[in-house]
Amino acid sequence: MPESRTVALVTLGCARNEVDSEELAGRLEADGWKLVDDAEEADVAVVNTCGFVEAAKKDSVDALLEANDLKGHGRTQAVVAVGCMAERYGKELAEALPEADGVLGFDDYADISDRLQTILSGGIHAAHTPRDRRKLLPISPAERQEAGASVALPGHAPADLPEGVAPASGPRAPLRRRLDGAPVASVKLASGCDRRCSFCAIPSFRGSFISRRPSDVLNETRWLAEQGVKEIMLVSENNTSYGKDLGDIRLLESLLPNLAEVDGIERVRVSYLQPAEMRPGLIDVLTSTPKVVPYFDLSFQHSAPNVLRAMRRFGDTDRFLELLDTIRSKAPEAGVRSNFIVGFPGESDSDLAELERFLNHARLDAIGVFGYSDEEGTEAATYDDKLDEDVVAERLARVSRLAEELVSQRAEERVGATVRVLVESVESADSADEGDGVRGRAEHQAPETDGQVLLTSGEGLRVGSMVEAKVVGTEGVDLVAEPLPVSPAWSEEAGR
């Protein structure tokens, strides 16, 4: 194979897609491809698409078209679509977007090098035919682990690495190559989802829920620590279900302390939690385990009972507030974020008022608000009592304004508190624009979604440093914090 083959991976969508891209990168590098950051310098641009909502699908198409524009003007010879949108639509996407030289599904990931070489050489690899991936595994979770070995599960690559993909010393990790030097990295706990929310199409193209084995998660975390990672974020479609197909629904409670003990890891964060599946034991571990941050990414979606039942979900305002009270009784400064859908079919004025009641009392640190739109293949798309688009837009604007005000108020509540900040960017004084400088995240802030901390001084700090700081102000959801004096021992640790 030619040594000069180059490939760039462009990743859209969620943290799970980022893990998948790093698996693809590991496979390609192991087979002799050179990874480059800029698509203009790549023979092949691989776009890892998102197929979750309409806006994400549009972004994916735009990214593919942008990459296609490079052909004939630089090194780029081929553009290939992978990821959720490619998996979900397959041939349909290939026909609608002839600019893409290939549309590859999850089943192609294990042979990604051969697929790209075929396309680069002018050959044609037929776009796959989409199928309901929930039907590829047994209905019973207890029977899935054996069957899972024969089903493509992105982010579940074998633990035996080709030579040179992981450090020569230390544990073997799943086939993966980091695509940036950030001090935080996501680790997949599982793939797929067994929930049947009426608005969500993800299970149909991601498949049924299947856990990774704890040993693989632990080994990958050790490998990431060797790469300089300080914080890991555990991701899947539903982390509260982790272990049910391994015979232990409480497996996450026992895994978290082991992850926190990995040398070099300073923080373990868990995302994607279902309120209806929160267990007292899991809350205890998340609020009391050193290095496991008290952070709760709870998928509420709404709080009006009628809307939640139409969504095929559980709970109500008072039960959700009781859950938050339980969490904060154990960890008063716990971070909590959630997403909400407004304008769902059948949502009444009183339902909207009930959601606003919840938001006003919940004291959430970060709130995502989305207006309902039909998703192909979902139950909700068949509902008759849909709201007019202008009503959905008005409600989206109304709740978004409320959310912005509430998260700013929540940030102001943290003024005077001491936070532990993971530094993620450092700009020199002579090159930084006003408002830049040293930025990082506190324990209640997840990457990219929950705001950040602007430090008033960055002397002696570098990316990956951990620093104690006192919150002295806010800028919307962001905090402004002043680093605290540290002992020589802490200073040495922070500079590592």
Side-chain angles (χ1 to χ4, degrees), residues 367-435:
I367 301 171
V369 186
F370 301 88
Y372 173 81
S373 62
D374 285 339
E375 272 297 307
E376 181 184 349
T378 63
E379 180 185 354
T382 69
Y383 289 175
D384 294 327
D385 50 351
K386 293 190 177 70
L387 279 62
D388 290 340
E389 288 185 8
D390 58 343
V391 174
V392 176
E394 187 278 328
R395 292 185 178 187
L396 174 61
R398 169 177 160 181
V399 177
S400 294
R401 287 193 298 269
L402 175 63
E404 185 176 356
E405 178 183 345
L406 291 174
V407 296
S408 295
Q409 290 176 5
R410 177 64 178 139
E412 289 170 2
E413 292 179 20
R414 295 188 181 275
V415 173
T418 298
V419 293
R420 193 165 186 237
V421 180
L422 173 62
V423 176
E424 293 190 312
S425 67
V426 178
E427 299 286 350
S428 61
D430 57 351
S431 65
D433 295 329
E434 185 177 355

Side-chain angles (χ1 to χ4, degrees), residues 220-231:
E220 182 172 355
T221 299
R222 289 171 177 151
W223 178 77
L224 288 167
E226 288 188 342
Q227 312 302 302
V229 169
K230 300 297 183 183
E231 174 182 330

Side-chain angles (χ1 to χ4, degrees), residues 29-44:
E29 187 170 73
D31 201 44
W33 291 78
K34 179 182 178 182
L35 301 170
V36 296
D37 296 329
D38 193 340
E40 288 188 68
E41 300 174 4
D43 296 315
V44 184

